[in-house]
Amino acid sequence: MAARVQRLSRSMLKTLRDDPADAETLSHKLLVRAGYVRRTAAGVWTWLPLGKQVLENVTRVVREEMDAIGAQEVLLPALLPKEPYEASGRYEEYGDLLFRLRDRKGAEYLLGPTHEEIFTQVVKDQCTSYKDLPVMLYQIQTKYRDEARPRSGILRGREFQMKDSYSFDISDEALAESYRLHREAYTRIFERLGLDYRIVSAVSGAMGGSASEEFLAPAEAGEDTFADCPACDFAANTEAVTTTVAPVDGAGHPAVEELDTPDTPTIETLADFLDVPASATLKNLLVKVDGEITAVGVPGDREVDLGKLAEHLAPAEVELVTAEDFTGRPDLVRGYVGPQGLDVPYLADPRVAEGTSWITGANKPGKHARNVVCGRDFTVDRYLDVVVVEPGDPCPACGAGLRLDRAIEIGHIFQLGRKYADTFALDVLGPQGKPVRVTMGSYGIGVSRAVAALAEQTADEQGLCWPREIAPADVHVVAAGKAVQIELALEVADKLAAAGVRVLVDDRQGVSPGVKFTDAELVGVPQILIVGRGAPKGLVELKDRRSGEREELTVDEALKRLADDA
Amino acid sequence: MAARVQRLSRSMLKTLRDDPADAETLSHKLLVRAGYVRRTAAGVWTWLPLGKQVLENVTRVVREEMDAIGAQEVLLPALLPKEPYEASGRYEEYGDLLFRLRDRKGAEYLLGPTHEEIFTQVVKDQCTSYKDLPVMLYQIQTKYRDEARPRSGILRGREFQMKDSYSFDISDEALAESYRLHREAYTRIFERLGLDYRIVSAVSGAMGGSASEEFLAPAEAGEDTFADCPACDFAANTEAVTTTVAPVDGAGHPAVEELDTPDTPTIETLADFLDVPASATLKNLLVKVDGEITAVGVPGDREVDLGKLAEHLAPAEVELVTAEDFTGRPDLVRGYVGPQGLDVPYLADPRVAEGTSWITGANKPGKHARNVVCGRDFTVDRYLDVVVVEPGDPCPACGAGLRLDRAIEIGHIFQLGRKYADTFALDVLGPQGKPVRVTMGSYGIGVSRAVAALAEQTADEQGLCWPREIAPADVHVVAAGKAVQIELALEVADKLAAAGVRVLVDDRQGVSPGVKFTDAELVGVPQILIVGRGAPKGLVELKDRRSGEREELTVDEALKRLADDA
């Protein structure tokens, strides 16, 4: 099938030699410089012709693979009534992240950040029997989130393109199958896009490891951190890293000894004063859990991740204590808290295992205690993984030291269960003639973000460097010279297009070959065909954009080479 | 290339036997009943799988023809900063039609109703020389207009799909060429979509007939009325119908005569009292033009179109007079106004021509005058086409009686000129080295509306009836029977798909043939292939959805017939 020739002399393309002043990430810089995107407002972008083509190519791959697993494409509105989101509680929960507006009659709307509520209503309307399920629906659509700090170009926009899909099943087993189909489709999509990616657990094993996984594209510019085991195949969102520490025999420890430690209210001052490593000390953080003061113990060299703590204790609310909370509590001595004999619930990191011995507060001003042994001198009410994961922490699967890497979240698959089905009473008539509550899955791919992730992973110092399936063309023909070169370049372009090769041809007059070469490198089409000095003799040069390898060929050889690849 | 098989047993499709209660138009009823669309909020629609496919097919045709004229596809945001729209004055002008919102920092945004402002900025940013022009850019994108009365399903939504394009040229001649290219592309698009359409002038000849044209699809459900000449090729938006009336010799008329006409403040009461046709009387409407009282004279049997009047007098503001305006103006006698000796500006319809004689108010309570001759007894300050056009009015081109028809506006092409270029100082360096102001065209196609227009024009009593290029499939295979029919139907479907025929196959178990036939008629795929009683003998029936013609064929004959058309 004949492909298309894009002539730069007739295209709106303006490349920039300098990085935009506000650009932080490589993809942001290059996509703007190469004329793919243009900022319209904070976090709101215009896709220029080349950018739109790349976006469309990614969209096509996503669509083909979603169709292949039997998902049906629909298109929901972005302008949504608030009522379904009030019913689910998300109208409140989303807070400032939601763009809200009123129509001329004062009715309240929002711009859809994700569509679980509306899809649930659609299926409730369309499906009445177990025979109507399973159903998988998807859309590729514009989404809105009023990010506090939109940045990194199209990597984190406030208006962006997303593929979201939803599965509806009558049993947990059927949901697991819909989830599996999505996982495989996502794998094929990211393979075809040429993305380097990892699938990581997004929630702790305790909740069922397969219930939620993220597809992460490792990249410096990423805003996510994930843990990665160099020794086995474990990989997880740092929030999903768990620690298991076996109890040790604490019998041999000497008795608790109180120490005078004036002016040592912090771990740093204490470790310094006693000349011990921070890891020998026990840090006790006081928080309020639904208003009740609670202590959280972690080794002195570790930080508590308050987000993780809040997640573990949800829906209970977690707050930090304030000076007022110490009023009337002489048992709580700020800076000198220890778990021994403390009259508050005590939560601890698994590293504070049965039998371990610690230096910790003596619950008296200016005093600490040593040889405070877990299980002998204090007990832990509940173990929780609440410390910030650090490189070298043990892999939960094999114990090897974990690596931490930055990544861009490009996909997320999630077994939602019955949360939304419960909200909207989504039942179908089951095989036994009784209503069955439907169980759901929710699956997303950041389509515009995938473009940025690809740019991040594939670009080099010269510019963008797209995989062929995603590139705006298969070959970039550069007419490096005058009329004769331009004429031959156009002739070659037509022949290539006739053979199904998508061609971008730089036929601009009055633009120097140097500028054209620089532009070709920047634009990032995988093959560059140079029609230069050899043109009158029918010779051209074929250059691989990534390797930089160049080869002189006759026009016919070049045509054959490129057409064979098409 | 192999096509796709859609199995109804695995599709989310629920047809309805009854029209939705709120549906007014045929397309609204059928698109909902056949499971193409579903209402999410007033004027806000969800496209279900079949609807999304039809929408996508229309989109593909539009995209192919826009690409063919060298227009470049881009994608602009829908969430737009208000500043460019303030600069153009449209932030105010649009009034309630605009969805407005604020982000978390309080910055004001709008949801794009059309994108002239942003495109102008994009081109200002990307193009600097006359060599960069002409440029034609387009997008197929979601638009937002907060209609006062969203109705007719997807025909007039508040969130809808539109193709909008914009041309940028350095001369009026070049703009005319961009306009011509669009006009031809639109012609090809609507031909391919199988729409019956008319191209009509959208503005009066005085402003240059070719500067703006509408593409109208005649349909009962249409909200536009257009005038159509049965004798020549004239067709125009009724707003663009002009009237020319030659002066007549008024010399023979008797002198003005005052008549006692008590209690006749309306044309109806006056004509009744004097026993004359309303057309013999002159109606004088008082309005305020920028606050100044002005009279508008039209024949007594005609209505003034206030919209047309306002358009003619814009930017001056036109208001109706109120009782208060008569205070201190004894010369203005309500219900008995005549133009003779009246001390206000006098505008009139061309039918109030030089030499015509009228019965009109005598500017005294209860009195009228007859033999009031234009040119002798009063003068017209300005002639304007302000009456509502009626069937039988003379064609401006040939004088034959015009027809009036209802239609759906599906496209609009418009030579904008330099309005937005002036607002944003869009200049490029001209061939002489001096800045040249750019001139623009703006062109729109209502993509989702075109789906509704097609449904309106092609549906019949049984249901939808799509042209093949737009239909969700080429053939609808109905398995009318049990396992043997279902098995054969699926087999035939696979073979058809392998031959490039797009197939919808109704392989539902436990659904009666009657229900399946009714659904097939409702869904509206152009060919229906029935796998019924003859199936064990290898016989099937091919039915043309539109004509209802049926023919019994062997499976092989049917396959050949359908594949040949593919």
Side-chain angles (χ1 to χ4, degrees):
Chain A
M1 204 173 61
R4 198 169 146 204
V5 175
Q6 290 185 68
R7 295 177 60 171
L8 282 194
S9 67
R10 298 179 181 177
S11 304
M12 184 179 73
L13 175 66
K14 185 180 162 196
T15 56
L16 305 173
R17 291 290 163 259
D18 297 316
D19 291 332
D22 60 339
E24 293 167 8
T25 60
L26 187 65
S27 61
H28 185 174
K29 289 172 189 167
L30 291 175
L31 288 168
V32 170
R33 280 183 48 205
Y36 281 65
V37 298
R38 177 188 186 277
R39 185 182 174 281
T40 297
V44 178
W45 291 82
T46 286
W47 294 80
L48 296 172
L50 291 177
K52 171 66 178 151
Q53 291 171 54
V54 167
L55 185 66
E56 197 64 28
N57 290 341
V58 172
T59 300
R60 191 192 62 247
V61 169
V62 171
R63 179 171 284 145
E64 286 173 3
E65 297 299 341
M66 292 310 298
D67 288 344
I69 60 166
Q72 297 171 68
E73 187 170 6
V74 296
L75 180 62
L76 270 60
L79 181 67
L80 300 173
K82 75 164 178 178
E83 289 74 15
Y85 287 79
E86 277 190 331
S88 72
R90 295 210 291 187
Y91 196 69
E92 283 303 314
E93 275 167 31
Y94 267 119
D96 281 348
L97 208 63
L98 222 48
F99 281 108
R100 297 157 204 263
L101 68 161
R102 287 172 184 271
D103 72 4
R104 61 161 74 209
K105 290 179 180 158
E108 292 177 64
Y109 288 81
L110 57 100
L111 299 182
T114 171
H115 282 67
E116 280 79 2
E117 286 83 349
I118 313 294
F119 271 91
T120 307
Q121 291 188 319
V122 165
V123 169
K124 186 178 167 74
D125 189 49
Q126 300 286 316
C127 301
T128 50
S129 156
Y130 73 97
K131 293 179 196 165
D132 298 334
L133 302 186
V135 157
M136 294 189 288
L137 302 172
Y138 77 98
Q139 61 175 347
I140 298 169
Q141 194 230 29
T142 307
K143 293 277 188 287
Y144 296 87
R145 291 185 195 165
D146 194 359
E147 299 285 348
R149 197 175 159 234
R151 61 191 193 93
S152 307
I154 54 169
L155 208 47
R156 195 174 192 82
R158 298 198 294 170
E159 170 173 326
F160 55 97
Q161 303 299 311
M162 188 166 157
K163 187 286 297 175
D164 48 329
S165 47
Y166 306 86
S167 64
F168 298 84
D169 286 288
I170 55 161
S171 69
D172 294 349
E173 296 69 37
L175 167 57
E177 174 61 11
S178 296
Y179 183 89
R180 188 187 65 77
L181 286 169
H182 270 88
R183 195 178 196 273
E184 287 181 8
Y186 277 36
T187 301
R188 281 190 295 270
I189 288 166
F190 296 127
E191 298 284 348
R192 282 182 64 185
L193 295 184
L195 272 166
D196 172 25
Y197 69 96
R198 295 296 304 267
I199 305 177
V200 310
S201 302
V203 290
S204 72
M207 289 179 63
S210 70
S212 175
E213 288 167 296
E214 290 171 355
F215 288 73
L216 299 181
E220 281 291 320
E223 295 197 330
D224 280 278
T225 303
F226 75 105
D228 199 16
C229 179
C232 75
D233 64 357
F234 176 84
N237 186 309
T238 52
E239 285 172 19
V241 173
T242 54
T243 315
T244 322
V245 180
V248 293
D249 181 6
H253 291 294
V256 172
E257 178 189 349
E258 206 169 280
L259 304 168
D260 263 329
T261 53
D263 300 327
T264 57
T266 65
I267 294 294
E268 203 187 352
T269 50
L270 174 66
D272 208 43
F273 182 84
L274 295 178
D275 196 18
V276 295
S279 59
T281 71
L282 180 62
K283 183 195 287 186
N284 300 288
L285 182 76
L286 294 180
V287 294
K288 280 186 292 180
V289 178
D290 273 350
E292 184 186 13
I293 292 184
T294 302
V296 182
V298 304
D301 60 339
R302 305 304 296 240
E303 292 302 320
V304 172
D305 182 329
L306 289 170
K308 266 175 138 174
L309 179 64
E311 217 159 274
H312 276 296
L313 300 178
E317 205 157 316
V318 178
E319 296 165 280
L320 289 173
V321 292
T322 60
E324 289 154 30
D325 295 311
F326 290 89
T327 313
R329 293 292 301 255
D331 57 323
L332 301 175
V333 185
R334 260 193 138 169
Y336 299 90
V337 174
Q340 64 284 17
L342 196 67
D343 190 24
V344 301
Y346 194 65
L347 312 177
D349 180 69
R351 290 169 186 83
V352 187
E354 196 83 5
T356 53
S357 172
W358 304 91
I359 298 167
T360 189
N363 299 314
K364 295 176 188 164
K367 305 266 185 194
H368 278 85
R370 80 166 89 194
N371 305 325
V372 181
V373 176
C374 179
R376 182 186 78 182
D377 304 315
F378 67 94
T379 54
V380 172
D381 295 311
R382 184 175 168 196
Y383 282 107
L384 293 175
D385 273 294
V386 293
V387 302
V388 175
V389 175
E390 288 177 9
D393 275 357
C395 168
C398 76
L402 291 170
R403 276 196 327 236
L404 292 188
D405 287 304
R406 305 288 290 168
I408 299 163
E409 184 188 332
I410 48 176
H412 195 161
I413 53 179
F414 192 37
Q415 295 191 21
L416 269 181
R418 298 180 175 81
K419 172 174 159 54
Y420 294 95
D422 285 341
T423 299
F424 298 101
L426 172 57
D427 296 330
V428 292
L429 206 63
Q432 271 78 46
K434 287 185 184 159
V436 177
R437 180 106 330 158
V438 170
T439 181
M440 289 169 59
S442 151
Y443 318 87
I445 289 180
V447 173
S448 43
R449 182 181 282 181
V451 172
L454 256 175
E456 287 288 339
Q457 287 189 342
T458 58
D460 60 23
E461 287 183 359
Q462 278 71 50
L464 298 164
C465 186
W466 302 105
R468 184 161 180 170
E469 180 144 14
I470 302 312
D474 298 315
V475 59
H476 187 131
V477 178
V478 175
K482 308 268 176 186
V484 56
Q485 279 82 11
I486 290 176
E487 198 177 319
L488 183 62
L490 289 171
E491 205 177 290
V492 169
D494 284 341
K495 284 183 185 166
L496 285 167
V501 180
R502 298 170 305 142
V503 187
L504 195 72
V505 54
D506 193 344
D507 61 336
R508 290 176 294 178
Q509 288 193 324
V511 175
S512 76
V515 167
K516 289 184 177 180
F517 294 146
T518 308
D519 278 348
E521 304 277 328
L522 183 58
V523 164
V525 169
Q527 297 285 332
I528 301 171
L529 187 71
I530 302 156
V531 180
R533 281 193 210 143
K537 286 173 289 175
L539 291 175
V540 294
E541 221 179 334
L542 185 61
K543 180 178 175 183
D544 183 84
R545 166 66 184 84
R546 178 161 303 287
S547 69
E549 277 168 33
R550 306 166 80 115
E551 197 178 351
E552 193 164 65
L553 300 166
T554 66
V555 169
D556 285 344
E557 284 167 344
L559 284 175
K560 191 170 179 318
R561 184 84 64 86
L562 290 164
D564 282 351
D565 293 346
Chain B
M1 206 173 61
R4 195 169 147 204
V5 175
Q6 291 184 67
R7 295 176 60 172
L8 282 194
S9 67
R10 300 181 181 175
S11 302
M12 185 179 72
L13 176 66
K14 184 179 162 196
T15 56
L16 305 173
R17 291 291 163 258
D18 297 317
D19 291 333
D22 60 339
E24 294 168 7
T25 60
L26 187 65
S27 61
H28 186 174
K29 290 172 189 167
L30 291 176
L31 289 169
V32 170
R33 280 184 47 205
Y36 281 65
V37 299
R38 177 190 188 274
R39 184 182 175 281
T40 298
V44 177
W45 291 83
T46 286
W47 294 80
L48 295 172
L50 291 176
K52 171 65 179 152
Q53 291 172 53
V54 167
L55 185 66
E56 196 64 28
N57 289 341
V58 171
T59 300
R60 191 193 60 246
V61 169
V62 171
R63 180 172 283 144
E64 284 174 4
E65 296 299 342
M66 293 309 298
D67 288 345
I69 62 167
Q72 298 171 70
E73 187 171 4
V74 297
L75 179 63
L76 270 59
L79 180 67
L80 301 173
K82 74 163 178 178
E83 290 74 16
Y85 288 78
E86 277 191 331
S88 72
R90 294 210 291 187
Y91 195 70
E92 283 303 315
E93 274 167 32
Y94 267 119
D96 282 346
L97 209 62
L98 222 49
F99 281 108
R100 296 157 204 264
L101 68 161
R102 286 172 186 271
D103 71 4
R104 61 163 73 209
K105 290 180 179 156
E108 292 178 66
Y109 288 81
L110 57 101
L111 299 182
T114 172
H115 282 68
E116 279 79 2
E117 287 84 348
I118 313 293
F119 271 90
T120 308
Q121 292 188 319
V122 166
V123 169
K124 186 177 167 75
D125 189 50
Q126 299 286 317
C127 301
T128 49
S129 156
Y130 74 96
K131 292 179 195 165
D132 298 334
L133 302 185
V135 157
M136 295 190 287
L137 301 173
Y138 78 99
Q139 62 175 346
I140 297 169
Q141 194 230 29
T142 307
K143 293 276 189 287
Y144 296 87
R145 290 183 196 167
D146 194 359
E147 298 287 349
R149 197 175 159 235
R151 60 190 195 95
S152 307
I154 54 169
L155 209 47
R156 195 174 192 81
R158 299 199 291 171
E159 170 173 326
F160 55 97
Q161 303 298 312
M162 188 167 157
K163 187 287 297 176
D164 48 328
S165 46
Y166 306 86
S167 65
F168 298 85
D169 286 287
I170 55 161
S171 70
D172 294 349
E173 296 69 37
L175 167 58
E177 174 62 10
S178 296
Y179 182 89
R180 188 186 66 76
L181 286 170
H182 270 88
R183 195 178 196 274
E184 288 182 7
Y186 277 36
T187 301
R188 282 190 296 270
I189 288 167
F190 296 126
E191 298 284 350
R192 282 182 64 185
L193 294 184
L195 273 165
D196 171 26
Y197 70 96
R198 296 295 305 266
I199 305 176
V200 309
S201 301
V203 290
S204 71
M207 289 178 63
S210 71
S212 175
E213 287 167 297
E214 289 171 355
F215 288 73
L216 299 181
E220 281 290 320
E223 296 197 328
D224 279 278
T225 303
F226 74 104
D228 199 16
C229 180
C232 76
D233 64 357
F234 177 83
N237 186 310
T238 52
E239 285 172 20
V241 172
T242 55
T243 315
T244 324
V245 181
V248 293
D249 182 7
H253 293 293
V256 172
E257 178 189 349
E258 209 170 276
L259 303 170
D260 261 328
T261 54
D263 299 326
T264 57
T266 65
I267 294 293
E268 203 188 350
T269 49
L270 175 66
D272 207 42
F273 182 86
L274 295 177
D275 196 19
V276 295
S279 60
T281 70
L282 181 61
K283 183 194 288 186
N284 299 290
L285 181 77
L286 294 180
V287 295
K288 281 186 291 182
V289 179
D290 274 349
E292 185 185 13
I293 292 184
T294 302
V296 182
V298 304
D301 60 339
R302 305 303 295 239
E303 293 301 321
V304 173
D305 182 330
L306 289 170
K308 267 175 135 174
L309 179 65
E311 217 159 276
H312 276 297
L313 301 178
E317 204 157 318
V318 178
E319 295 166 280
L320 288 174
V321 292
T322 60
E324 288 155 31
D325 294 312
F326 291 90
T327 315
R329 292 294 301 254
D331 57 324
L332 300 176
V333 185
R334 263 194 133 169
Y336 300 90
V337 173
Q340 64 285 15
L342 196 67
D343 190 24
V344 302
Y346 194 66
L347 313 177
D349 180 70
R351 290 169 187 82
V352 187
E354 196 82 8
T356 53
S357 172
W358 305 90
I359 298 167
T360 189
N363 299 316
K364 294 175 189 164
K367 305 267 186 194
H368 279 85
R370 79 166 91 195
N371 305 325
V372 181
V373 176
C374 180
R376 182 187 78 183
D377 305 315
F378 67 94
T379 53
V380 172
D381 295 310
R382 184 177 166 195
Y383 282 107
L384 294 175
D385 273 294
V386 293
V387 302
V388 175
V389 175
E390 288 177 9
D393 276 357
C395 168
C398 76
L402 291 172
R403 277 198 325 240
L404 293 189
D405 287 303
R406 305 286 291 167
I408 299 164
E409 185 188 331
I410 47 174
H412 196 161
I413 54 179
F414 192 38
Q415 294 193 21
L416 271 180
R418 296 179 177 81
K419 171 173 159 54
Y420 294 95
D422 284 343
T423 300
F424 298 101
L426 172 57
D427 296 329
V428 292
L429 206 64
Q432 271 77 47
K434 287 184 184 160
V436 177
R437 179 104 337 157
V438 170
T439 181
M440 289 169 59
S442 150
Y443 318 89
I445 288 181
V447 174
S448 42
R449 182 181 283 181
V451 172
L454 256 175
E456 287 289 340
Q457 288 189 341
T458 59
D460 59 23
E461 288 183 0
Q462 278 71 49
L464 298 165
C465 186
W466 303 106
R468 183 161 182 170
E469 179 144 15
I470 302 313
D474 298 316
V475 59
H476 187 131
V477 178
V478 175
K482 308 266 176 187
V484 56
Q485 280 81 13
I486 291 177
E487 200 177 318
L488 183 63
L490 289 172
E491 207 177 290
V492 169
D494 284 341
K495 284 183 185 163
L496 285 167
V501 180
R502 298 171 304 141
V503 187
L504 196 71
V505 54
D506 193 343
D507 60 338
R508 291 176 293 177
Q509 288 193 324
V511 176
S512 76
V515 168
K516 288 185 177 180
F517 293 146
T518 308
D519 277 349
E521 303 279 327
L522 183 58
V523 165
V525 169
Q527 298 285 331
I528 301 171
L529 186 70
I530 302 156
V531 180
R533 281 193 209 143
K537 288 173 288 177
L539 291 175
V540 293
E541 223 179 333
L542 186 61
K543 179 176 176 185
D544 183 85
R545 166 66 185 85
R546 177 160 304 287
S547 69
E549 277 169 32
R550 305 164 81 115
E551 196 177 351
E552 193 164 64
L553 300 167
T554 65
V555 169
D556 285 344
E557 283 167 346
L559 285 174
K560 192 171 177 320
R561 186 85 63 85
L562 290 163
D564 282 352
D565 293 347

